[in-house]
Amino acid sequence: MNPETEFREGLDQLASHYHDILSLLGEDPEREGLLKTPLRVAKAMQILTRGYTQDPHKVLTDALFAEEYDQMVIVKDIDFFSMCEHHLLPFYGKAHVAYIPNGYITGLSKIARVVDIYSHRLQVQERMTQQIKECIQSTLHPLGVMVVVEAKHTCMQMRGVEKQNAITTTSDFCGAFNQAKTREEFMNLLRGDF
């Protein structure tokens, strides 16, 4: 399914609700500039939440290869955009993912796809970080996984405290990354300290 051209069931009903929302906000949804807005927003929301229709475990297993590599594999600076489930406003940033293979590796792009799938759901950053880690752990059964996510939240930038430069960092890890030395190696590699 191409999320830019194929849409899920309920698109027209979603557009109807956005028509009502425009009215409730005090706008005239029948004026020229807003005539197509309800449908545009409905399509955008389906694209921004396409992760509900995708299976991140299948993405990893579709490119699973036996390999005796047992050192850290890091995919860093994975750009993502997500929607805060509390305000339906975007948060965005970078995810950094490391795993230590245990007989199997996956295609590097598949790690980025897992981030993409979980970020394309209504989220909180803490849960998204944990979901990425748990998916890789339960699917690949590596010796360890660590995920660090850095993000800016427009709900903090545009409303509430209005702090435009605040960055939120979350992490989750398991297995070999429970050792401080392994976590430190990961963080050093993220910074480029070889």
Side-chain angles (χ1 to χ4, degrees):
M1 177 177 131
N2 180 345
E4 296 291 336
T5 57
E6 299 173 33
F7 296 94
R8 303 190 304 268
E9 188 177 325
L11 183 67
D12 291 335
Q13 187 178 4
L14 193 56
S16 175
H17 288 297
Y18 280 114
H19 182 278
D20 293 343
I21 288 169
L22 288 173
S23 292
L24 291 168
L25 291 174
E27 264 294 354
D28 175 9
E30 301 304 319
R31 73 175 171 84
E32 183 181 3
L34 293 177
L35 276 175
K36 295 182 181 179
T37 297
L39 184 57
R40 284 189 198 109
V41 176
K43 287 179 176 180
M45 288 304 289
Q46 283 202 355
I47 292 168
L48 294 171
T49 60
R50 69 179 179 249
Y52 290 119
T53 65
Q54 300 170 324
D55 182 353
H57 300 279
K58 184 176 183 329
V59 165
L60 291 175
T61 58
D62 280 351
L64 195 60
F65 309 101
E67 190 65 50
E68 291 305 315
Y69 184 80
D70 63 358
Q71 299 299 310
M72 203 177 299
V73 176
I74 300 173
V75 182
K76 66 180 188 173
D77 295 331
I78 303 167
D79 291 317
F80 75 88
F81 296 87
S82 193
M83 296 288 285
C84 163
E85 69 181 36
H86 298 146
H87 304 100
L88 294 186
L89 290 172
F91 66 96
Y92 59 95
K94 295 187 182 295
H96 315 287
V97 179
Y99 76 100
I100 301 173
N102 187 17
Y104 291 91
I105 60 171
T106 189
L108 297 175
S109 68
K110 305 309 179 187
I111 300 293
R113 291 268 295 127
V114 168
V115 172
D116 188 57
I117 289 169
Y118 283 115
S119 67
H120 280 80
R121 299 176 180 187
L122 299 182
Q123 279 289 12
V124 295
Q125 182 176 333
E126 297 88 342
R127 183 189 320 116
M128 186 180 86
T129 304
Q130 186 176 40
Q131 287 174 330
I132 294 165
K133 187 260 313 182
E134 289 174 353
C135 177
I136 294 168
Q137 179 62 35
S138 66
T139 307
L140 300 181
H141 307 288
L143 299 174
V145 181
M146 184 163 179
V147 178
V148 174
V149 176
E150 302 170 296
K152 288 189 171 188
H153 293 251
T154 59
C155 56
M156 282 183 63
Q157 295 173 321
M158 299 171 65
R159 53 157 305 283
V161 296
E162 296 185 15
K163 300 301 178 206
Q164 284 72 35
N165 296 310
I167 296 174
T168 301
T169 303
T170 51
S171 68
D172 197 5
F173 52 86
C174 63
F177 288 95
N178 285 319
Q179 299 173 17
K181 184 177 179 183
T182 309
R183 287 194 310 275
E184 184 180 336
E185 178 185 349
F186 173 54
M187 297 308 290
N188 286 339
L189 289 169
L190 283 187
R191 290 190 296 268
D193 299 339
F194 296 52

